[in-house]
Amino acid sequence: MKCRFHIITYGCQMNRYDSSTLSEYLISRGHRWVDNLDDADLIVVNTCAVRQHAENRAIGRLKSIVARKKKNHNLKIGIMGCIAQQNGEKLFEIIPQLDFVVGTDQLPVIAQIAEGKFRCGTFVNANTDFMGIDSIPSITPGQVSTFITIMRGCDNFCSYCVVPYVRGRERSLPDEKILDEIARVVDNGIKEITLLGQNVNSYRYENVDFPALLEKVAQIPGVERIRFVTNHPKDFSDKILDVLEKYPRKIPPAFHLPLQSGSADILSAMNRKYSPDEYIALIENIYRRFPHSAISTDIIVGFPGESEQDFQATLNMMKAVNFSGVFAFRYSIRPGTAAEKLHHDVPEELKIQRLNQVIRLGIQLANNFSENLVGTIQDVLVERVSYKNPGKLRCTAPSGRTVLIDENSAEIGQIVPVKITAAKTWVLWGKIIS
Ligand code: 5AD
Ligand code: SF4
């Protein structure tokens, strides 16, 4: 039986990667992707449990989608990903019309469901040995950049975070498999690879660690630019910077290093395993070796016990580091985590107030970063025609900032030198120099 399917994705890049891989896998087995939900006989919602807000959105969407079953009796609807793993069978009570609840890393089960080989109505627990299926995420014609998963799961157990519970223990993919996959996507026109994992710095397969893998990727012919997300400050080693120094044109000094808080006490309660001083020492070392680094971060406000002084320490640290971009979150209690048991003493209104302050400062820092690039020459990768800016090509600078240049001034997929002429918070404008 061949089916017409649609996947709705919430959450992080790993979820987007999984959805894209699942889609490619189903297509390789003869099933057909449909854009319109009305045409589908299988709808899968891939979900995120990292914050309550994300959970509410996905559950709300599912509740509205199941109404379609009244019109189409053959329609199967299910949930996969982190909410599915976290809540399991309970989801059949919350949404009785659901056909399946499939935990994390169980992509092959969805194919069995599509093929009618699986009894619906049961919860399929995570497959925490899962290393991926032999099918690359779909590459569309003209696409120049893609993610490649190198490791899954997380062993860090930050006290606020649900990821280690829903995605299981850290496991790294064999380096040979990663390198083959990259060679294949490069053959399909890809120029930029983003290595993906919950904590790429702890990648290890036999005797290949993350810096060694990074170097192997840099040596693949046709790979022109390499990025990696996400890092953990406690695992970010000098060896990574050594590799960057060897391949300066291929691996730009752009690092996402989640700080979470600038307070020593809060970092300790979060089980982050670094102090503010250690974080600053790491940043100083990065700037010393790569003065033009773009360092972005994640901040959580309102963690249990966060005093005004702790919060001020976070703002001060943000200024001291001069982040190029800041993702700010309001602490959200996650069932089953260590922090769930702490005394939740920061009132919601205060969390919102602090969140707004972090967002405001983050925008100011991002503005400064962009403005400092005006007048410089940046080697940008031309990605595609801009959807929002007619007549412009959308490119990416080494720092990750979007750069707009005139259409027809370069080819998609080229890396070209561009003089930056104007800047907004997240977007730069420039002209090709000859
Ligand atoms: N509440 C708020 N933010 C969270 N994050 C992870 N768990 C929580 C939570 N319980 C944030 C962290 C992490 C990012 C991906 O999401 O900042 O780095
Ligand atoms: Fe969650 Fe911490 Fe692991 Fe990141 S490192 S996924 S925040 S437990």
Side-chain angles (χ1 to χ4, degrees):
M1 193 185 90
K2 300 297 174 211
C3 87
R4 292 165 301 172
F5 69 93
H6 188 94
I7 308 169
I8 297 166
T9 309
Y10 290 94
C12 64
Q13 281 131 346
M14 188 66 86
N15 267 12
R16 274 189 265 156
Y17 184 90
D18 282 345
S19 291
S20 163
T21 309
L22 174 64
S23 167
E24 196 66 4
Y25 184 57
L26 292 175
I27 291 168
S28 76
R29 296 173 70 98
H31 307 293
R32 189 155 65 86
W33 168 271
V34 287
D35 287 331
N36 194 332
L37 290 187
D38 290 336
D39 301 330
D41 34 43
L42 173 71
I43 301 174
V44 188
V45 181
N46 189 4
T47 57
C48 169
V50 88
R51 281 172 294 275
Q52 189 62 45
H53 178 67
E55 209 167 311
N56 296 348
R57 276 176 58 215
I59 297 289
R61 185 80 192 271
L62 262 167
K63 282 185 175 163
S64 81
I65 290 172
V66 289
R68 292 169 178 274
K69 294 184 79 167
K70 288 199 194 113
K71 278 193 276 169
N72 177 356
H73 296 294
N74 295 323
L75 177 61
K76 282 191 206 130
I77 299 176
I79 174 167
M80 67 182 254
C82 296
I83 298 181
Q85 184 57 41
Q86 176 84 345
N87 295 282
E89 265 134 21
K90 267 193 287 175
L91 287 163
F92 291 117
E93 289 163 31
I94 300 169
I95 311 171
Q97 302 91 328
L98 270 185
D99 292 292
F100 56 92
V101 175
V102 172
T104 49
D105 299 326
Q106 278 286 14
L107 304 187
V109 172
I110 312 267
Q112 290 177 6
I113 291 165
E115 284 149 30
K117 293 181 198 147
F118 191 86
R119 195 168 57 83
C120 283
T122 45
F123 163 52
V124 186
N125 217 326
N127 174 1
T128 48
D129 296 331
F130 185 75
M131 297 306 245
I133 40 190
D134 280 334
S135 131
I136 54 171
S138 51
I139 305 295
T140 50
Q143 185 181 340
V144 299
S145 177
T146 192
F147 288 99
I148 295 288
T149 294
I150 63 166
M151 55 86 69
R152 289 176 177 271
C154 181
D155 288 351
N156 289 316
F157 289 93
C158 301
S159 65
Y160 51 80
C161 185
V162 78
V163 168
Y165 303 94
V166 291
R167 287 210 171 260
R169 296 289 62 74
E170 270 176 19
R171 56 232 184 255
S172 295
L173 272 88
D175 52 323
E176 288 304 326
K177 189 171 171 349
I178 294 167
L179 300 175
D180 283 355
E181 207 163 294
I182 293 174
R184 277 205 287 162
V185 294
V186 168
D187 271 354
N188 282 285
I190 293 294
K191 310 282 182 207
E192 179 184 73
I193 300 290
T194 303
L195 303 174
L196 182 63
Q198 254 82 35
N199 174 9
V200 290
N201 308 146
S202 52
Y203 174 88
R204 175 170 284 277
Y205 188 80
E206 293 172 351
N207 58 357
V208 181
D209 61 4
F210 181 65
L213 179 73
L214 193 58
E215 175 141 30
K216 283 171 187 262
V217 175
Q219 287 167 348
I220 298 177
V223 171
E224 298 199 6
R225 189 155 276 179
I226 306 163
R227 300 180 186 280
F228 45 91
V229 281
T230 187
N231 301 287
H232 195 304
K234 77 173 167 55
D235 298 318
F236 193 92
S237 71
D238 236 19
K239 275 172 72 190
I240 299 173
L241 300 178
D242 295 343
V243 181
L244 259 80
E245 224 157 51
K246 271 172 94 174
Y247 303 91
R249 288 186 61 81
K250 283 198 179 183
I251 321 176
F255 313 100
H256 187 65
L257 279 162
L259 167 66
Q260 314 298 4
S261 168
S263 147
D265 291 344
I266 297 295
L267 283 176
S268 163
M270 285 177 164
N271 192 30
R272 288 292 287 175
K273 301 189 183 87
Y274 54 84
S275 66
D277 288 348
E278 283 163 340
Y279 188 93
I280 287 286
L282 169 65
I283 300 301
E284 280 173 353
N285 186 39
I286 293 175
Y287 280 140
R288 188 179 53 76
R289 295 185 65 176
F290 299 94
H292 302 296
S293 291
I295 303 176
S296 57
T297 205
D298 295 344
I299 300 285
I300 298 177
V301 298
F303 186 81
E306 185 187 64
S307 66
E308 186 54 34
Q309 206 183 346
D310 293 321
F311 177 62
Q312 290 301 327
T314 299
L315 296 179
N316 290 338
M317 189 93 156
M318 284 172 64
K319 290 180 213 153
V321 176
N322 231 334
F323 288 113
S324 62
V326 176
F327 298 88
F329 307 103
R330 204 165 11 136
Y331 172 66
S332 165
I333 304 170
R334 299 291 69 209
T337 59
E340 186 194 8
K341 292 168 205 80
L342 298 175
H343 177 51
H344 298 278
D345 52 353
V346 184
E348 220 48 37
E349 312 81 76
L350 187 54
K351 278 192 204 168
I352 294 172
Q353 210 180 311
R354 288 180 180 170
L355 181 73
N356 288 336
Q357 267 179 275
V358 170
I359 292 173
R360 262 201 307 275
L361 177 57
I363 290 176
Q364 210 178 312
L365 297 177
N367 261 327
N368 294 348
F369 183 86
S370 290
E371 272 166 19
N372 283 336
L373 292 176
V374 175
T376 66
I377 292 162
Q378 302 285 316
D379 287 331
V380 307
L381 172 64
V382 185
E383 294 211 346
R384 58 173 167 79
V385 173
S386 168
Y387 303 140
K388 291 190 210 145
N389 303 272
K392 296 284 180 194
L393 290 171
R394 186 187 198 275
C395 317
T396 317
S399 60
R401 280 288 192 277
T402 295
V403 180
L404 297 172
I405 61 172
D406 284 340
E407 209 171 342
N408 305 325
S409 63
E411 300 285 322
I412 309 269
Q414 276 185 318
I415 293 185
V416 289
V418 163
K419 179 147 188 188
I420 305 301
T421 53
K424 274 196 183 168
T425 315
W426 304 111
V427 186
L428 308 168
W429 282 260
K431 283 214 171 341
I432 291 212
I433 55 163
S434 42

